[in-house]
Amino acid sequence: MKVIDNLLEETQVLEIEQELMKDTFPWFYQNHVTHKDIDNYYFTHMFYRDGVQSSYFNLTIPILKKIKFKKLIRVKGNLYPNINKVVQHPKHVDFNYTTKGALFYLNTNNGPTNVGNKKIESVRNRLLLFNASQEHNSTTCTDAKIRLNININYL
């Protein structure tokens, strides 16, 4: 596992953030966060899954240029609304085969990512590189309106 702070230039982060926060950006409601989870919800945007899925895919290129990958599997935006408590979502693995993961944080908040027994704080412009085949989980936050990140799976 590796944490890289200040991954992008501030102008690049602002461009991504501003586009994702427009009232016209297409976020899609998911009635569960993991397949084990029936009580929580969040919003996602699929940029890439077995090919480009979104006309907004180019927003992710500055992040992807910082990651060494052989094959891209998925690039997904995650938007967790503030529900006035920090909820730990169920631990899970992203796929039933070995993959690497990268999580790019677009805002600072008190909702961490947990990988194994390690807690990684959500800090704006931070990239977390980790083994996405190891159990991990997301959370909500209470000190910002939303928790916003981009989740990347690759080989």
Side-chain angles (χ1 to χ4, degrees), residues 2-5 7 63 67 74 76-78 80 92 94 100-106 111-115 120-132 136-139 147-154:
K2 183 176 181 180
V3 173
I4 304 168
D5 285 325
L7 181 76
I63 304 163
I67 301 169
R74 180 179 71 179
K76 178 173 66 99
N78 297 321
Y80 303 91
H92 67 281
D94 288 348
K100 295 178 182 179
L103 195 59
F104 181 71
Y105 300 92
L106 280 154
T113 302
N114 301 299
V115 180
I120 297 85
E121 300 298 328
S122 292
V123 175
R124 186 174 195 277
N125 200 14
R126 170 177 280 178
L127 183 71
L128 166 65
L129 300 171
F130 68 104
N131 177 353
H136 58 278
N137 69 294
S138 58
T139 63
R147 180 171 184 248
L148 187 61
N149 57 51
I150 296 175
N151 182 17
I152 301 163
N153 293 96
Y154 62 98

Side-chain angles (χ1 to χ4, degrees), residues 10-24:
E10 181 60 22
T11 56
Q12 294 173 304
V13 180
L14 269 174
E15 180 184 355
I16 298 167
E17 177 187 43
Q18 288 173 352
E19 197 64 42
L20 270 56
M21 296 309 300
K22 284 183 179 175
D23 62 2
T24 56

